[in-house]
Each structure stands twice: as C-alpha cells, then as structure tokens.
Amino acid sequence: MTTEIKISEAAQLTSSSQMSEKEQELNWRQCWYPITFVEDLPKDRPYSFSLYDEPLVLFRNKDEELVCLIDLCPHRAAKLSDGQIIDGKIECLYHGWQFGKDGQCLHIPQLPDEAKIPLNSCVKSFMVVECQGMIWMWAGEADTADDKLIPTIAELDKPEFVSTNIVRDLNYDQQFFIENVVDTAHVNISHAGTQGKRENAQPLEMEVIESSKNGFLGRLRGTREPNKPWSPIEFIAPNFVIYRFSIPQKNWAGGLALYSIPLGKGRCRVLARNYRNFMTWKVKVTPRWLDHMFRNKLLEEDLPLVVGAEKQIERLGQNLKEVYLPLKTCDVFVIEYRKWLDKFGSSLPYYHGYSTSKNVVSRECDRQLISLNRIEEHTHICSSCNQAYKVTNRLVQIFVGVAIALAALAIITDGSKMQIALVLASLGAVVSAASLGKLKTHFERYYTRK
C-alpha cells in the first residue's frame, strides 16, 4: 500500500463530524516504529534501543526469527542487552537466566533440575517484522498489529530502483527532527555548498492538501520561475516524512524517505533512504561507508542549530506560538506539524505543539552527560562504517609498525642507496598511516563548520 493511499484514506475517515474527540487522537501504541536496517542488525549479539525511554532489546532466535523484549531481567533488573545469545536464547550476563521468543524464561541455572520455572519470570515481548529491508516494532499488543500500516514505498519493490540507507542517532527530540526535515527553506542556507546554494534561497509557495490524525499531505514549489512544477511532501504519523520527485521526459523518479523513532526525551534515531531509478551504477559502486560521510555531514550541519533552538525553547518555557515568527513563504509545514501535535498528539508521552505541550521539561543537566561524537551516534550502529573503522584502525597500526621497522633497518644497513630506499619507504609508510589516521577521524568526530 503506498503512502498516498494511506493519507487519502485517512483524510476521508477523520472528519470531526464522523469521529469523536477520542477517536481523532493518535494512539501512539497502535503504531509501527523503525528500529534499524536489516543489514545493520548484529548477527551474534543483542541489539539495544529504546522507545520513549523504555529500554528494549532485539535479537534473532535459533530459527532466525526476530525477538524484541523489554531490556530488563526480572531477576535483579540487569540489562539483557549486556548479555549474550546462546542457542538462539538471550542470556542475562548477571546470573545466566535465559529467555526465548515470547519472553518466556527457559532456563535458570540456580534452580534444581526438577523445579518449575516461576510463571512471573517472563519478560514482556513485542511484535517485530522485516519490511523493505528495515526492522519494525509494533508498540501495542501483538494481536492488534497490522503490517498494512507500515509506511512502505512502492518504488522500492521495483528492481530498477536502488537506495542508499543510513542510520543515525541524534541528540535532540524526534519532534525537532521532523520539524527540521519538513522545513525545506533552510536547505539553501544551512547546507550551502553541500546540498544547497545561498543564491537559490527564495520565497516558496506551499499548500496543505489533506490533514488527519494519520498525518498530512502537502506540496511546494519555488516562486522565481513561472509555472514551476509542484513537489509533494507527506508526513505519515507518527514518524515518517517523504519527498518525491520525477522527471517524466527522462522517466526518472526518486525520493528521500526519512523515518525516525523517539528513543527518549532529547534523543531520536533516524533511518534515511535516498532512492532512485537513474544513475544506479553510482549507488552500486560507491562504498556505503563513503556515502555515509556525506550523509553524516548533512545531519551535522543542522545539529548544533537544532540543539541550540531546542535549548532556547526550553529556557523560555513558552508555547511555540509565542516564540516563533512564521512566514507563509517558508514555514507552512513546520506550523502544520506543530498544530498536528496540538490536535492529535495528546496521547504521546510528551510533545511540544504550537499552542500546547505535555511533559516538556528542561534537560539542561542531562545535556552535559551526553557524549557528542559520530562514533557513538553512527559508526557503532552501522555495520558498514563499523567494519571500515576497524579495518582503518588496523591499517594505521600496520603502517606505523612498518615505518618503525623500515627506519630501524635503515639505521643498521650499510650502503647509501639501500639506506635511502629504506628511509623513503619508511616515510611512505608514515604518510600512509597519517592519511588513514585522518580518514579514521571521520568515523569518530562531528563535522564542524570552518
């Protein structure tokens, strides 16, 4: 089912005359949340994440089925994600209790063989599925899960389309991420030189076509060129934004899909997909880790700006209606999203709408405890960059060792020509180690503007 159909159907079903106020409220538990890309799920260890600060753990059992449990051992409250996978069961590292597919406790080493495992030793489990190369979690009861509600992209099921995928944790709230990505006006300023050009900044024509508790559909276009084609934008509640584009005369099509999950207050995880059906060779030959350097740079160009804005809003303690000065030529979708939270988001654990908010408190003290680096927020949770980082580290060590060995050999070698050759080779190894060391920093540190 395409996202267009979902929004259109939702708009027909949510008129205020047909539905009660409670029915119009989004139930955040009756939603799918993206966890990670299948290719980034570790094969031999637990994968930890959270949803609205509730710790969760993901792994595969012996039959390669996905299992998602509360990340809490009922014995002594240790994190199951600190444990290990043994024969498809997750084992708590503290006392060795083991748990299976539905969260049932299957083994307690401290019990006699003839003793029954206590019924209250089970762990709550959640429905998880794979869909279009991503892993999704249903936050409610498993028997209410409907995989037709997953916001799929029809083009990704066509063989002529390819995609580049990146997962990234961000040190700000999911609502600020969604606000940022529905704001196209910032691209030519914030991303000037990477994705935009300052001279292209201009007034935009923007329209909201449909809106319901399931999201909204809009369109936009620049005003400098007459009769410029419209570009569609969709927000599918609670965590999906998609931009589509096409060039009919060339039969080119593609889009940018932005998924997110609220890990907790002031923390979210982003799963971004760029897809297209043209110049596919470039996507296929470019190493994923190399593409991620550019994608991370884009995210980090916005990072201090969004974090700074969030801090200011927390400091002021006012509704956004009192803080923002929106323009109809650039902020229509930003305000539409915040008003959507006002109207439909009251069930969320916390939110900051345009004129209302819920459980929004300052995290000023917490911010000082958060590590700000790319290695924690991306490299460790991306299989491609993690592997490239390990290889780069190893090569740096090898070239440093080779440089030292060649330099030592040059000292004890007789003959000027041989010594010169060894010295040059040692210098070459040093240069190689330095170059790889510079590459290594791209896996570790934030991009900063010059």
Side-chain angles (χ1 to χ4, degrees):
M1 183 179 291
T2 64
T3 52
E4 293 99 331
I5 293 175
K6 289 175 183 175
I7 280 289
S8 180
E9 290 178 348
Q12 295 173 20
L13 293 174
T14 55
S15 67
S16 57
S17 62
Q18 293 176 325
M19 302 183 67
S20 68
E21 183 177 340
K22 188 67 177 177
E23 287 174 320
Q24 289 189 62
E25 179 184 282
L26 175 79
N27 183 344
W28 70 272
R29 283 286 184 186
Q30 301 297 304
C31 295
W32 290 98
Y33 293 86
I35 303 172
T36 189
F37 292 106
V38 174
E39 59 189 320
D40 292 321
L41 180 68
K43 292 181 173 58
D44 56 354
R45 58 184 174 83
Y47 185 90
S48 65
F49 68 104
S50 58
L51 175 64
Y52 286 116
D53 287 315
E54 183 174 44
L56 300 159
V57 62
L58 180 72
F59 65 97
R60 289 190 186 274
N61 66 12
K62 203 168 185 179
D63 297 322
E64 291 297 305
E65 296 173 309
L66 289 167
V67 181
C68 181
L69 308 175
I70 294 289
D71 194 7
L72 179 74
C73 181
H75 176 216
R76 297 271 292 280
K79 293 182 67 175
L80 294 176
S81 59
D82 289 335
Q84 57 188 334
I85 307 300
I86 298 180
D87 294 328
K89 301 181 288 291
I90 190 166
E91 181 183 85
C92 178
L93 195 60
Y94 203 3
H95 294 90
W97 289 30
Q98 295 180 354
F99 302 88
K101 178 181 176 181
D102 298 318
Q104 70 274 31
C105 186
L106 301 175
H107 179 59
I108 298 178
Q110 294 78 22
L111 281 180
D113 292 339
E114 65 277 7
K116 290 185 178 181
I117 294 176
L119 294 176
N120 60 354
S121 63
C122 63
V123 179
K124 182 174 176 55
S125 65
F126 293 90
M127 169 74 76
V128 278
V129 299
E130 291 184 33
C131 182
Q132 292 193 328
M134 296 172 63
I135 298 173
W136 293 82
M137 165 199 172
W138 181 257
E141 297 300 323
D143 58 2
T144 67
D146 182 359
D147 57 11
K148 292 180 180 178
L149 296 179
I150 297 174
T152 56
I153 302 170
E155 292 87 341
L156 292 180
D157 292 327
K158 300 176 181 178
E160 63 268 27
F161 279 83
V162 296
S163 68
T164 57
N165 307 320
I166 182 171
V167 58
R168 174 69 189 250
D169 288 352
L170 293 173
N171 181 28
Y172 53 82
D173 196 86
Q174 181 202 37
Q175 296 163 49
F176 283 88
F177 170 74
I178 294 175
E179 177 187 285
N180 183 54
V181 297
V182 300
D183 169 26
T184 58
H186 83 281
V187 173
N188 286 314
I189 304 298
S190 180
H191 302 298
T194 51
Q195 197 176 40
K197 296 180 180 179
R198 294 184 66 86
E199 57 268 27
N200 289 340
Q202 60 185 290
L204 300 172
E205 190 175 359
M206 314 174 85
E207 295 180 359
V208 176
I209 300 170
E210 298 173 354
S211 182
S212 74
K213 74 170 184 179
N214 287 35
F216 62 81
L217 169 65
R219 62 179 186 172
L220 72 156
R221 62 182 175 183
T223 58
R224 281 184 182 169
E225 301 176 23
N227 300 317
K228 189 173 177 63
W230 290 96
S231 297
I233 173 178
E234 292 179 82
F235 162 61
I236 308 295
N239 49 33
F240 180 51
V241 175
I242 184 168
Y243 289 90
R244 301 175 186 273
F245 68 87
S246 63
I247 305 177
Q249 57 269 34
K250 294 186 177 182
N251 199 31
W252 287 3
L256 171 61
L258 299 150
Y259 303 86
S260 57
I261 177 174
L263 299 175
K265 273 190 178 177
R267 299 181 300 122
C268 69
R269 174 165 297 168
V270 176
L271 291 86
R273 312 189 87 158
N274 291 78
Y275 65 93
R276 65 190 190 199
N277 66 349
F278 60 94
M279 297 180 67
T280 57
W281 62 268
K282 188 174 181 181
V283 174
K284 294 175 181 178
V285 302
T286 302
R288 188 173 179 235
W289 61 266
L290 185 60
D291 176 76
H292 286 183
M293 290 192 178
F294 173 72
R295 307 293 170 193
N296 275 309
K297 183 179 179 181
L298 288 175
L299 289 167
E300 289 162 8
E301 284 176 338
D302 285 340
L303 183 61
L305 305 174
V306 179
V307 169
E310 188 179 13
K311 287 177 65 177
Q312 292 289 359
I313 291 166
E314 289 176 354
R315 179 184 65 83
L316 292 169
Q318 298 174 312
N319 290 328
L320 297 182
K321 188 175 182 178
E322 300 171 292
V323 178
Y324 285 4
L325 184 61
L327 301 175
K328 290 184 178 180
T329 52
C330 70
D331 299 311
V332 170
F333 302 136
V334 168
I335 302 307
E336 180 67 22
Y337 171 62
R338 291 296 183 177
K339 287 183 176 180
W340 179 91
L341 288 169
D342 287 333
K343 189 172 183 180
F344 302 113
S346 59
S347 79
L348 297 173
Y350 51 84
Y351 77 93
H352 208 144
Y354 193 52
S355 58
T356 64
S357 61
K358 174 184 173 183
N359 293 335
V360 178
V361 296
S362 174
R363 298 183 304 110
E364 198 63 39
C365 295
D366 295 340
R367 287 183 188 278
Q368 308 305 320
L369 303 176
I370 298 173
S371 174
L372 300 178
N373 58 71
R374 189 182 290 185
I375 191 168
E376 294 293 336
E377 296 178 4
H378 172 71
T379 303
H380 283 172
I381 59 174
C382 170
S383 59
S384 303
C385 290
N386 195 22
Q387 181 62 28
Y389 179 62
K390 290 177 180 178
V391 171
T392 302
N393 264 332
R394 184 59 179 157
L395 288 175
V396 168
Q397 296 171 2
I398 290 172
F399 277 111
V400 168
V402 169
I404 293 172
L406 290 172
L409 191 58
I411 293 172
I412 62 175
T413 299
D414 293 328
S416 57
K417 290 185 178 180
M418 180 59 72
Q419 284 181 320
I420 292 173
L422 290 170
V423 168
L424 291 174
S426 178
L427 290 173
V430 169
V431 170
S432 297
S435 298
L436 288 166
K438 187 175 181 180
L439 174 63
K440 176 173 169 286
T441 63
H442 288 293
F443 295 108
E444 300 171 331
R445 304 176 189 172
Y446 278 171
Y447 162 80
T448 54
R449 299 175 190 268
K450 295 181 180 179

